[in-house]
Amino acid sequence: MEHNLGHHQHVSTPEDPSTAKYNQNLYAFWYQTITGTYKKAWQIQLKLNQVNEVSFFSIYNDMFWFSIIQIAYLGVIAYFFGTLGFILALFSGIVGFLLLETINYIEHYGLRRNKLASGRYERVTEKHSWNSNHIMGRIILYELTRHSDHHYKASKKYQILEYHDVSPQMPFGYPTSMVMSLFPPLWFAIMNKRVPKDMK
């Protein structure tokens, strides 16, 4: 919900918890994005509830049901597989969302849209997300690594995302970049000089 109705609208702005700021390390970003994205998702949902005139317990309140399903899932795991099963399921979930947010970190690190005289931000273009045009990553991740085109034309299917010369390019593929981001001094040394000067 927040990805479609929040992140795509606010990407590369301070209003987007899924965009890492210049010189922000991965660990500070994890806190920002996990808490910020969850909070924004609820804000979006409550606004939708108000607009559509539905109650908090309505079947149309997705965030409510997402929460119930997750709690029920962990409850079922704990019931059938005990404490160890519960801890493993919880740990797996944490690892999963940290991997996802690490991808968000490398895809948007340090890039920002400039604010216009009107007070609005410039439109999202091909230069507001990092690309990694390495062939193996493109094949394995179904062109996700051409992330600039995904934000530039959000309705486009991943399999047909295009490469743009003006998009900032990561020097390595996603796996290497994700490991590199775990070491902030190394990440900053390699990536800071690649952030366009007008975005710093």
Side-chain angles (χ1 to χ4, degrees), residues 58-72:
S58 167
I59 60 170
Y60 300 106
N61 184 344
D62 291 335
M63 284 300 294
F64 172 73
W65 291 108
F66 293 159
S67 300
I68 294 296
I69 290 167
Q70 288 178 42
I71 292 166

Side-chain angles (χ1 to χ4, degrees), residues 136-154:
M136 284 306 295
R138 288 179 49 211
I139 293 169
I140 293 168
L141 296 171
Y142 300 99
E143 302 290 15
L144 170 68
T145 61
R146 290 180 165 180
H147 203 65
S148 297
D149 203 32
H150 167 63
H151 277 279
Y152 179 51
K153 296 178 181 174

Side-chain angles (χ1 to χ4, degrees), residues 5-200:
L5 301 177
H7 177 56
H8 271 270
Q9 182 179 352
H10 300 294
V11 66
S12 299
T13 72
E15 285 78 25
D16 179 31
S18 297
T19 296
K21 302 172 187 72
Y22 183 76
N23 269 339
Q24 182 179 32
N25 68 58
L26 175 65
Y27 306 104
F29 174 74
W30 278 350
Y31 177 78
Q32 168 189 294
T33 190
I34 292 164
T35 59
T37 300
Y38 189 72
K39 181 180 175 183
K40 273 193 98 170
W42 270 108
Q43 289 171 344
I44 291 167
Q45 182 64 68
L46 294 174
K47 190 173 181 180
L48 287 173
N49 289 356
Q50 193 175 27
V51 169
N52 297 323
E53 298 181 344
V54 299
S55 77
F56 183 82
F57 300 103
S58 167
I59 60 170
Y60 300 106
N61 184 344
D62 291 335
M63 284 300 294
F64 172 73
W65 291 108
F66 293 159
S67 300
I68 294 296
I69 290 167
Q70 288 178 42
I71 292 166
Y73 164 74
L74 289 173
V76 169
I77 293 291
Y79 181 80
F80 285 105
F81 301 102
T83 304
L84 180 60
F86 174 81
I87 291 170
L88 286 173
L90 192 63
F91 181 73
S92 298
I94 291 169
V95 169
F97 71 66
L98 289 180
L99 285 172
L100 172 65
E101 297 306 345
T102 302
I103 290 173
N104 267 333
Y105 180 80
I106 68 172
E107 287 175 338
H108 299 290
Y109 171 76
L111 303 179
R112 65 178 176 83
R113 286 152 58 198
N114 295 313
K115 198 171 255 192
L116 306 174
S118 64
R120 296 171 66 94
Y121 289 100
E122 64 181 315
R123 289 186 63 188
V124 177
T125 69
E126 310 96 312
K127 66 180 184 177
H128 292 120
S129 301
W130 291 94
N131 273 359
S132 175
N133 208 40
H134 297 82
I135 188 68
M136 284 306 295
R138 288 179 49 211
I139 293 169
I140 293 168
L141 296 171
Y142 300 99
E143 302 290 15
L144 170 68
T145 61
R146 290 180 165 180
H147 203 65
S148 297
D149 203 32
H150 167 63
H151 277 279
Y152 179 51
K153 296 178 181 174
S155 60
K156 216 183 230 190
K157 295 186 186 303
Y158 272 98
Q159 294 88 340
I160 57 171
L161 292 177
E162 298 175 63
Y163 170 79
H164 298 281
D165 288 331
V166 298
S167 301
Q169 301 297 315
M170 289 192 287
F172 307 107
Y174 271 39
T176 302
S177 297
M178 289 170 73
V179 171
M180 190 170 70
S181 71
L182 296 170
F183 305 94
L186 176 62
W187 175 262
F188 295 149
I190 293 172
M191 295 302 294
N192 279 6
K193 59 191 174 187
R194 292 175 170 265
V195 176
K197 289 180 181 176
D198 65 329
M199 295 189 186
K200 292 181 182 179

